Amino acid sequence: MALSDSIKIRLREGQALVYAAQAEQRGVGVAAYIRDRLDHADRICEELASLRAAMIDMGETMDEMRDQVTDRPGTPTQETQATSEPSAIEVETLLLLRALSAPQKLQMVTAEIERQGLKPFKIPGPPTRIR
């Protein structure tokens, strides 16, 4: 890969020493190390932008689905959903899906549920002992 432009930057003394040590640990030069860090940061920014876009799309889809369910006659309201116990199949499905999901996606979905004004399902933890 041919490199084109050279850019000179100033770093704090401590920061320059840390980068130099980390570059040495990896067996690369400081410039290559900083270039790799910038590339990695760019990839993370792109992934975050993609997640944000997916959450916006998911939010709009969830809004549409909630509106469709609310418009149907005979469907339970949020108040009755909050007081009724989930069925065994609902809990089983939820637990299986959570087992397959990455923690980041679970947090994203929980945040969306809360944004919708719903209370997310919490798996009860083990009882705490009082000493």
Side-chain angles (χ1 to χ4, degrees), residues 68-87:
Q68 288 176 2
V69 169
T70 306
D71 293 343
R72 289 185 190 164
T75 56
T77 63
Q78 281 187 352
E79 292 80 25
T80 58
Q81 287 176 348
T83 58
S84 65
E85 290 294 318
S87 68

Side-chain angles (χ1 to χ4, degrees), residues 7-111:
I7 300 172
K8 188 172 184 174
I9 61 169
R10 294 181 191 267
L11 300 173
R12 291 185 303 276
E13 186 177 331
Q15 193 177 24
L17 293 173
V18 169
Y19 287 164
Q22 291 173 343
E24 186 177 324
Q25 286 177 347
R26 289 179 174 75
V28 296
V30 176
Y33 175 73
I34 292 173
R35 194 169 36 252
D36 289 344
R37 282 184 60 120
L38 289 171
D39 287 341
H40 186 265
D42 287 345
R43 283 194 303 273
I44 288 174
C45 286
E46 290 171 6
E47 289 177 17
L48 284 173
S50 175
L51 283 172
R52 284 186 186 110
M55 286 182 71
I56 289 169
D57 290 345
M58 186 172 73
E60 291 171 359
T61 303
M62 291 297 293
D63 290 339
E64 291 170 6
M65 290 174 62
R66 188 186 64 228
D67 292 343
Q68 288 176 2
V69 169
T70 306
D71 293 343
R72 289 185 190 164
T75 56
T77 63
Q78 281 187 352
E79 292 80 25
T80 58
Q81 287 176 348
T83 58
S84 65
E85 290 294 318
S87 68
I89 193 153
E90 291 171 327
V91 173
E92 182 180 356
T93 304
L94 171 68
L95 293 175
L96 286 170
L97 288 171
R98 284 187 171 186
L100 296 172
S101 300
Q104 294 163 330
K105 290 196 179 203
L106 181 57
Q107 288 174 347
M108 182 177 72
V109 169
T110 301

